[in-house]
Amino acid sequence: MCGIVGYIGSQNAQDFVLDGLEKLEYRGYDSAGIAVNTGEDKFHIVKKVGRLKNLADILEKEPLKGTMAIGHTRWATHGKPSDENSHPHFNKDETLVVVHNGIIENYLTLKKQLIEKGHVFKSETDSEVVAHLAEELDDGDFFSTVRKVVKEITGTYTLLFMNSDYPDTIAQRVRIR
Ligand code: GLU
């Protein structure tokens, strides 16, 4: 079972998210990752297989400064534990990021359709389709796009999305059976 943490506020988002993920370590995981809005056009994403400490060590050496971030500890269901398969997953420009807990049951069909449309996948996960789907269905309105994405996917999920055009928003969607 993975852990998901999102933060928007006045504190250092990286530290807040790492603290939160540490509290969720008891749930078990095989890799961890974070995306931080550092004020650039795209998100800064760091993903590392293994213990949360592996990720924390990287961030200690090169801290990411920003007040908005999402983080994830992964329990692999689709694709081996690896840096690439760790979350967050992202669109081509790294302007949209997503973390996912659960399983996207129709991911193979969606992935095939998205590849035919030119999307290039970097991981073996079911979760990455969500990021590419959001890019494909992007109508310029983050909230409407997220609504369209969840209409297309089946399965169970908690999802957090960030969009660099919306620096004060983390969108969440949950579906539990
Ligand atoms: N199914 C996703 C994966 O394998 C998410 C697993 C999880 O809930 O951590 O990456």
Side-chain angles (χ1 to χ4, degrees), residues 68-143:
M68 173 174 161
I70 56 176
H72 185 269
T73 46
R74 177 175 186 239
W75 183 274
T77 64
H78 294 66
K80 63 185 175 298
S82 69
D83 293 351
E84 293 73 25
N85 288 341
S86 307
H87 300 215
H89 294 288
F90 46 88
N91 64 347
K92 182 162 64 356
D93 299 336
E94 299 175 31
T95 53
L96 187 139
V97 286
V98 63
V99 291
H100 167 227
N101 176 12
I103 292 173
I104 308 297
E105 286 168 1
N106 59 341
Y107 86 100
L108 274 178
T109 311
L110 292 170
K111 188 168 178 175
K112 192 164 169 275
Q113 289 167 355
L114 287 160
I115 287 171
E116 275 164 15
K117 288 183 171 149
H119 290 258
V120 178
F121 281 73
K122 294 193 165 59
S123 82
E124 302 156 327
T125 65
D126 51 335
S127 313
E128 192 182 354
V129 295
V130 178
H132 291 278
L133 203 51
E135 179 169 18
E136 187 60 33
L137 299 175
D138 186 6
D139 60 10
D141 178 327
F142 184 29
F143 305 104

